[in-house]
Amino acid sequence: NAGVTQTPKFQVLKTGQSMTLQCAQDMNHNSMYWYRQDPGMGLRLIYYSASEGTTDKGEVPNGYNVSRLNKREFSLRLESAAPSQTSVYFCASGSDTYQPQHFGDGTRLSIL
Amino acid sequence: KNEVEQSPQNLTAQEGEFITINCSYSVGISALHWLQQHPGGGIVSLFMLSSGKKKHGRLIATINIQEKHSSLHITASHPRDSAVYICATRFGNEKLTFGTGTRLTIIP
């Protein structure tokens, strides 16, 4: 009954550090997504993967990279973290493109 | 550009009250989603609809395509319904556009 699992749940980084957010889904969904959620703004799409082996930029891709490791896993990497990347990050999956159905619990990331 | 506006931004009500949350959008859409974000942060998809009305338990979602408007209703509200409710729309084959959410608080 796991659905979409994100790790870690919380992380504090210093400016310039790198890290990878992990996401895995066990529903055999083709599509996976990374969103960020900032106060006063709706969820914004960072990157998505319509199927294994493909990734595409979303609305706010700058400063991020992604890897669709296999059908289950979709990771988000910050190569050189900046304070503007302080946010809550959500991974989601779905059977159709642009139709996220299940969301992870989020990763609260603070960049100092 | 598709824009999504929700009202009210915040809503406080007494347990048992009938709740209505509104969502308006600016262009014709192919689908509209309602999501619930729990106080702990997790997001759950409640409904996806493109016309008419859907019902699940005490939750009812309606959409008026001509007026570009959708409503989410909660009957017999309960404190456990306290959450942020998010509307999102899809225009054609484009990505979802999310509203900023309505924070609902139900007081016992």
Side-chain angles (χ1 to χ4, degrees):
Chain A
N1 197 30
V4 178
T5 303
Q6 285 183 240
T7 56
K9 293 194 185 310
F10 301 94
Q11 185 72 46
V12 179
L13 294 177
K14 293 182 179 179
T15 297
Q17 287 186 314
S18 62
M19 80 161 296
T20 300
L21 307 185
Q22 306 286 354
C23 175
Q25 53 94 6
D26 60 3
M27 294 165 285
N28 202 37
H29 284 157
N30 288 321
S31 297
M32 297 186 72
Y33 312 84
W34 277 105
Y35 292 93
R36 60 178 289 172
Q37 184 179 43
D38 299 297
M41 303 184 76
L43 287 159
R44 290 182 294 168
L45 183 64
I46 304 171
Y47 270 94
Y48 70 98
S49 170
S51 61
E52 184 180 352
T54 68
T55 61
D56 286 287
K57 295 178 180 179
E59 187 180 355
V60 287
N62 291 345
Y64 305 94
N65 285 302
V66 290
S67 296
R68 183 75 181 266
L69 305 171
N70 46 56
K71 194 168 187 178
R72 289 187 65 249
E73 297 172 288
F74 188 39
S75 62
L76 178 72
R77 182 159 178 85
L78 287 71
E79 290 290 353
S80 178
S84 60
Q85 294 177 305
T86 293
S87 188
V88 181
Y89 291 85
F90 287 94
C91 177
S93 71
S95 49
D96 297 321
T97 305
Y98 289 139
Q99 304 274 35
Q101 294 166 271
H102 296 271
F103 287 78
D105 289 337
T107 296
R108 190 171 295 275
L109 182 63
S110 294
I111 315 294
L112 304 178
Chain B
K1 180 185 173 186
N2 189 17
E3 295 182 348
V4 178
E5 290 194 5
Q6 291 186 237
S7 63
Q9 285 189 305
N10 295 283
L11 177 58
T12 300
Q14 293 290 127
E15 182 174 356
E17 286 189 37
F18 181 82
I19 303 298
T20 296
I21 297 170
N22 299 298
C23 175
S24 298
Y25 50 91
S26 57
V27 300
I29 60 169
S30 56
L32 183 141
H33 297 244
W34 281 103
L35 306 111
Q36 180 192 54
Q37 185 167 21
H38 298 297
I43 297 174
V44 174
S45 179
L46 297 174
F47 296 104
M48 184 182 75
L49 64 166
S50 55
S51 64
K53 176 178 167 178
K54 285 191 175 181
K55 184 174 188 291
H56 186 256
R58 295 180 295 105
L59 272 60
I60 303 165
T62 64
I63 188 167
N64 185 318
I65 299 295
Q66 288 74 26
E67 295 187 3
K68 296 186 178 61
H69 180 269
S70 175
S71 293
L72 177 68
H73 304 287
I74 305 174
T75 62
S77 59
H78 189 277
R80 65 175 175 267
D81 297 325
S82 297
V84 175
Y85 292 85
I86 301 169
C87 169
T89 62
R90 183 180 182 191
F91 172 62
N93 291 320
E94 298 297 313
K95 63 173 180 64
L96 290 184
T97 300
F98 292 83
T100 55
T102 293
R103 184 176 299 276
L104 175 65
T105 304
I106 304 297
I107 299 171

